[in-house]
Amino acid sequence: MFKEFKNFIMTGNVIEFAVAVILAGAVGQVVNGFVNDIIMPIVGEFSGGVDFANLKYVLTEASGVAGEAGAIAENAIRYGAWINTIVNLIIVGFVLFVIIKAYNKTKTPPAPPAPAGPSQEDLLAEIRDLLKKK
């Protein structure tokens, strides 16, 4: 069983998939940093200085001191964080679109199919007809 598992893990597809997952996590962090630290401050500036990450609808206010007995944490719907996530999705989608478009340009188009000529039976029939005329 261990040998089969080793063979499965060492196949190219599994290794490539693992590398892709690790790279996707790293790219996700880069995109999150780009959106949160560059894009959203610019969007916030154009929308009147609003920080989207702090936008929320408070359902229950926090009470007491955090960490002490009887303290109640704030319960809120953080729709600003959701807006940031939507912006992340749009940026990732656009970047993937550009990458796929560039990749498709590098692929060579398939060779056009050879022109269809007469089949072997058609040629033999023509030869037969020509021989009959003589």
Side-chain angles (χ1 to χ4, degrees), residues 85-106:
T85 304
I86 297 298
V87 173
N88 276 352
L89 175 68
I90 292 169
I91 290 173
V92 169
F94 178 73
V95 168
L96 287 176
F97 170 75
V98 170
I99 289 171
I100 296 299
K101 190 168 178 93
Y103 172 74
N104 286 339
K105 283 186 179 180
T106 62

Side-chain angles (χ1 to χ4, degrees), residues 10 14 29 63 74 76 112 114-115 128:
M10 297 310 290
V14 173
Q29 289 178 346
S63 64
E74 178 182 73
R128 180 193 65 208

Side-chain angles (χ1 to χ4, degrees), residues 11-131:
T11 60
N13 293 340
V14 173
I15 301 297
E16 290 170 4
F17 180 68
V19 169
V21 168
I22 292 169
L23 283 176
V27 169
Q29 289 178 346
V30 169
V31 170
N32 282 335
F34 178 71
V35 169
N36 294 332
D37 300 331
I38 296 174
I39 297 297
M40 293 315 289
I42 293 170
V43 171
E45 185 64 31
F46 285 116
S47 64
V50 177
D51 183 8
F52 284 94
N54 295 328
L55 293 177
K56 59 187 171 185
Y57 178 76
V58 178
L59 300 172
T60 306
E61 293 284 339
S63 64
V65 178
E68 290 185 4
I72 299 173
E74 178 182 73
N75 185 13
I77 299 172
R78 297 180 35 198
Y79 63 90
W82 186 71
I83 292 172
N84 284 355
T85 304
I86 297 298
V87 173
N88 276 352
L89 175 68
I90 292 169
I91 290 173
V92 169
F94 178 73
V95 168
L96 287 176
F97 170 75
V98 170
I99 289 171
I100 296 299
K101 190 168 178 93
Y103 172 74
N104 286 339
K105 283 186 179 180
T106 62
K107 293 189 332 185
T108 57
S119 67
Q120 186 175 6
E121 288 79 20
D122 293 337
L123 292 174
L124 289 174
E126 284 183 37
I127 293 171
R128 180 193 65 208
D129 293 343
L130 288 172
L131 289 174

